[in-house]
Amino acid sequence: AREPASATTNPCRRGGSSGSGQRALRRLLTVALAVAVEGSVGVGGLRGHQAEINTVAKTADPDTAWLDFHPVDGGTRRACRGAHASDDSAAYHLDHTGITSLSKCKALCLMAPVCLAIDWGLTDEVCRIWSRSVGSTTPAESRVCLRHGSRMPLPGRRLYMNNRTAPQTYRPGFRYPRDDARLHNGDEVQLASTSHRTWLTLQHVLDAMGRRALSQTRDPHKAAVFTVERKDFRSPAVALRCMHEGQGYYVAVSRDGKVGCISSSPVHFNYNRIDGQKWWDPAKGAFQDPSTEQYLRMEDPDHAKGEVTAIGVDPSGWQLFNVFLVGGYETVYPLVRGVNLGNWFLLERWMSASLFVDENGTEVTDSCKAIDEYGLMKMLPEQVRQERMEKHWSSWITESDIELLSNAGINTVRVPFGYWMTHPRDPFIGGQFKYLERLFRWCERYSVAVLLDFHGLMGSQNGGITSGNCGACGIEGCGETWQGWLMPDERVTNLAVIANVSKHFAGSPVFLGLSVANEVAVKSSHYALPFYQEAYNIVRNYSADALVVLSSTFNPSTYPFKAELGMVQDEHMYYSVFTETAVQDQQANKEMAKKYLQSRTRWQVLVGEWSLEHNGYEETNAVSKQWYRDFALVQLQAFEQHSMGWIYWTYKIESPNSTWSFRDMCKEGMLPGCVPGFDYAPADWWSHHPQTFAYLDRKHLPSMPLDWKPSRRASEYFAGQEGRNKCPENTVQLPEAECRELPSLLGGALNDPFVVNESADPKGCFTFMSRYLFNKHPSGSARYERTPHCRLSCPLEFVPARRNVYTCPPGAVPLTMDECRYAPQEYGGSPSSPLEIKSSNDPVGCFKFLSLFYYNLNSHAIGRPGREMFCRRVCSAQYVPAPVSSNHCPAGTEELSEGECYAVPRQYGETRASFVESCSDDPRGCFRFSDKGFFFNKDSLGSSRKDRTPVCRLPVRQRVVAGDNASNGCPDGTVALSQSECRQIREEFGGRLNVPFMVNYASDPRGCFKFSFYGDVYFYNVHPHGSSRPGRTQFCKRTYDPDLVAGNTGAPGCPEGSAPLTQQECAGVRESLGGPLGHPFTVTSAVDPPGCFRFREFGYHYNVHPTGAGRRGRTPYCKRSFDVDYLAGFEGADRCRGGMATLTELECRTLDRAFNKDWHLHDPFVVNFSSDPRGCFGFNGERYFNVHPNGRGRPGRRPYCRSLRSSASETLPTSSTLGGGEILWS
């Protein structure tokens, strides 16, 4: 093994310094490249630039992160706008004319002093360089809008969940299914009558197009599933798409008032989830037909044939539906890790006493003067106020502070401000707003989110100094304490402030949301909560997804808001607000915070303020630093396991080394981020085990080091169907120990007792009322409200295809529709709604376009540029590492394909690097380079190298056998496939699963079969008998494995004790061992091994050259000599003679293994002819298997038999014994 080359000389590992000179050089090179590489401007129009539009700089180098360009609202055919679609001004952008390509427009952006977005037109060739944040777009043909800068710091992600896969609780307030009847776009729901206790179901087919009427059923298993289409959450209009047997039609009302799945286009009903009797009824809703203004109504199932009509006059009674969420999309955010920028725009005297002096710099001794910022401003002359505050605003927080926070792992800043930010009334002065705008520019540069915190409402929301205008602030003898923020004039001003900042900053990519009122303290909720609703409506008017954060006073999540999407409850958690203050025992401190957070429900919970400052335990100098560090771990663990994140109070104060100062505590190593080796866990909490965030517990458990990663993901666990007693297909039952871990993965709690032995409950792991139990009863039984929990027998490992390649890479297979829904969790973006499409121009199956995933049902479609196809790793691969610094896989293992290598990192809990390379200095194929990640080396030879570990796999044996067309039973020597095995056939044979996959048809073969009329589609027929049917091919599995032998790489032929494979056998090797067939498969080469061989990841070949030769990198494949001797009888004979036995059907099928001939099976292979030899015989180069009990000899037909000897070493019969028949054996 050679020593690793230096970073500057190694051709496979380029690198260098990252100083200012390198950054400048990078910038110039990027500009030159952007100018040189221009997209086509021909007939393709914007399509010629689509690949460039979709390209985002994928680099971990912070010096080049600013080079990213991101599509806004899809990018193409959109013109940039400011805060909303009509917000455009010449002052926002600088226009350049005669710019003939998007690349040149990007280059102009990179050279501009300020460039936040570009807007380029293909037709007018105008490039607009935006100096204002772009938050919206408007439709515009032949234009492109791209935001420039780093990625959004906290991008919300829509995750698909259903009742089998979703955790019941990820974080406080994040529950699935949702406990209300809100309908989100993409939700999959079932609807039941609130009066009749019946479910909507699909009735008989109305016409040849597959349209169906809606009816009622009392069997919940027959309930129809509808997909909700709701494009605008502000509008009550929803459409219901009928799934599965509904053929994708939409619910509509016919002319006679009947309701069914009859429309090919969406029909929107007005959805009303308030029933008129109760103001808040979260489980019910009604649907109003907008054309007739009548409500959908479920008629009496006993007297009206269970019809569904549209004749209801109000949203109550028989017009009310119980809404049951079957599957849907939930928006989740990465963990918020933030710091408050306190004392910047709203002063607090204790944080900066030097500001609270008179105009001569003398300390104010009067306790009733300068209590808060209002008092300070009132005391100072106007000129002194302006000078002092301008100096403070320009210096308290600088760009270097935001850079420090970003480098320390902080992704959010919370910015407290008062109403004088936008409405400065005497004695307050104006001038803050420009500094707030500058902060947004800094945060966009360093990818830090901004949460605006309305900390000081006019009239004071709490009568405290934190509001900045509290009058006497509760100090006796100083006058009146103000708390009139909801008085008419003050209320109007406060709402105007909210409208102002929301409108101005809604377009910024770093605007996270607005905290409406900090630490509210009023006597009654009747005035505060309606104010919250009004503030929410204002924010939503300018931003569809900004968070609206409400103070925890009155626990507002229990209030029946009419609209509440994106509402968050703010908790300030100092160890002086709990019943007990901090103690020496850190576990007790952790449980205190955990218990407090777990008492919050419904909404997401954000810990908006916390710090290392505390009451209670007084540490000594000897243990101070370690105790404080553990105290930080306590709070981080509680907050990151049981809330959506935290924001430290505060960034800094004047006093040095204060526990209130994040900056000082981080530099001292009390908090993660500033000291090497002391870092935060990943922020995408939904992809990791909760123990990943167990900062304190992990510190004291040697078995869980800091870099510990869970062996399983929450998405590997499936919940079965309620009221069943078995696991769903493709899943396995959990052992007791694994069942105990589910609450930490999925939420909920263990029952007491946890282990039971009940014949009336499901066996194994199940839940009842959100509590987990493990039933040791050997059989168990289904029971109402009991849901079995299981684990996927084959975890999903996603693999993207290469760009502009529309087939899965070797070692990967297409995704199913359900699997496609989970791909966004791995690669970002969100599923389209609806997910499934039928397009002849897009890739088949699952693909991503811009930020949306689609599933194309057209099996004959072709791909087109800009679409990225997604596949999955073949389930059966088992990975093993080779010796470090080697260049070959060990004996008994195989090299991985590119697609398999892509999926390997998840097996090891690590990340992949730049991945594909072609380097002669590294091992060929898949390897791991120390802690740098995984690579796939396409060099045909490669070489061993220090610290590089090849990764290989164990051979995979395929036992599946395809039966005859139009047969109904497995051949001899095979058995039927299970439903789970049938689901996996597509991984080896291609094709897709039918929807529905499981059927009960008397006219089709029982078990697993394929129907190829519309491409290869697989079914599983549970009918007990079934029957043969033309066009259906049954699949079974062998009762033994094929006995293949891999020869020595570079050898000229088969090893001793083995025989060459036939060409047909060679083509089937991939079914047993995996890997692709080479192109071309059949070759004539004097320099390659004769017969079957494999050339690394390029696949299997069959060399018909009579001699051939050994060659490096080529591995011959052969077969072991059979213990059973196969013999050919006399032509014209009717049966096997003495010393021979009749072959089984399976032996007859695989006879070419013994005779080294490419024989074909006749179609049909199994016959019942009295005029042909019984059993196995050959005719005209084809084989038959005759099941007739007698049969007879016939000219041209030769029976095939096997020896009755028990060992191949026994003496074979001679030709004279058999009358001169041909004797052949392997």
Side-chain angles (χ1 to χ4, degrees), residues 805-807 837 839-848 854-858 860-870:
V805 175
Y806 309 113
T807 57
I837 62 171
S839 169
S840 60
N841 296 322
D842 289 311
V844 178
C846 186
F847 70 91
K848 182 180 181 183
Y854 299 83
Y855 191 85
N856 189 7
L857 298 173
N858 190 331
H860 302 290
I862 57 176
R864 58 174 164 172
R867 276 68 173 168
E868 185 178 14
M869 185 176 178
F870 281 81

Side-chain angles (χ1 to χ4, degrees), residues 21-90:
Q22 289 290 329
R23 288 195 292 271
L25 177 61
R26 253 189 225 113
R27 181 167 184 149
L28 289 174
L29 289 175
T30 305
V31 171
L33 179 64
V35 173
V37 182
E38 298 184 11
S40 168
V41 195
V43 295
L46 288 177
R47 286 179 298 177
H49 297 269
Q50 192 64 57
E52 185 180 0
I53 292 169
N54 295 337
T55 300
V56 177
K58 297 178 180 177
T59 173
D61 187 351
D63 296 326
T64 58
W66 54 271
L67 297 177
D68 293 355
F69 288 89
H70 310 282
V72 184
D73 295 341
T76 56
R77 296 182 175 85
R78 312 295 298 183
C80 295
R81 291 293 183 266
H84 48 84
S86 59
D87 185 17
D88 188 22
S89 169

Side-chain angles (χ1 to χ4, degrees), residues 974-990:
T974 67
V975 293
L977 297 179
S978 69
Q979 190 176 152
S980 297
E981 292 168 331
C982 186
R983 286 182 183 274
Q984 297 176 15
I985 282 187
R986 62 187 178 87
E987 299 181 355
E988 306 296 337
F989 292 89

